[in-house]
Amino acid sequence: MFSKIRTARITAAAAAAATLTVSLGVVAAPSASAADNCWPGESNRWYCHNVPGSPVYGTVGNNHSYPDPSTVVGYMNSNPSWFSCKEDNQDWVGGPHPTRWLMTVADNGQLGFMKDTAIYSETDPILDCYR
């Protein structure tokens, strides 16, 4: 009988934990679903809504043309933020554009790329970096 009561308590606790985890996961995880499109600004910049505090990764290649996902050069605390162009077919980031990165300048002035998953706005309108 003690075993049945213990099993019932463990099952109830697990169900409560699963419900709490699912509930918190929906609230806590930033969503990359598009609230609106990124919009053009001055000086060939595009503005997008993004997750404040997101890392900006370094660059590699000729003319700093590709993201370096192993090096964080700064953070983007502003929202919205500006981006100059997008790069597809880069390292996997997930989300609706799983290999897309966007070139920008971190709050500390360092050139780099942000993952598309850190941006709430739809990034399709942004021009490709090297057409």
Side-chain angles (χ1 to χ4, degrees):
M1 179 151 162
F2 176 71
S3 177
K4 288 182 182 179
I5 294 172
R6 183 173 179 231
T7 302
R9 285 183 181 167
I10 291 171
T11 303
T19 302
L20 181 59
T21 301
V22 170
S23 297
L24 291 177
V26 171
V27 174
S31 170
S33 62
D36 56 3
N37 284 335
C38 295
W39 61 96
E42 297 178 13
S43 304
N44 296 321
R45 293 180 176 179
W46 290 82
Y47 289 86
C48 307
H49 294 288
N50 57 280
V51 179
S54 295
V56 175
Y57 295 86
T59 62
V60 294
N62 296 337
N63 301 318
H64 308 287
S65 52
Y66 302 103
D68 176 3
S70 65
T71 305
V72 173
V73 296
Y75 294 89
M76 188 69 74
N77 294 308
S78 58
N79 180 28
S81 301
W82 66 266
F83 301 88
S84 57
C85 59
K86 69 180 185 239
E87 277 287 339
D88 285 306
N89 302 314
Q90 301 302 311
D91 282 357
W92 181 268
V93 296
H97 307 293
T99 60
R100 181 174 292 170
W101 295 70
L102 291 99
M103 185 178 277
T104 190
V105 173
D107 288 345
N108 64 1
Q110 295 294 311
L111 177 68
F113 284 87
M114 272 180 65
K115 296 177 179 181
D116 185 75
T117 52
I119 301 168
Y120 290 113
S121 299
E122 173 55 63
T123 58
D124 276 344
I126 297 177
L127 301 176
D128 294 333
C129 289
Y130 300 98
R131 294 175 264 136

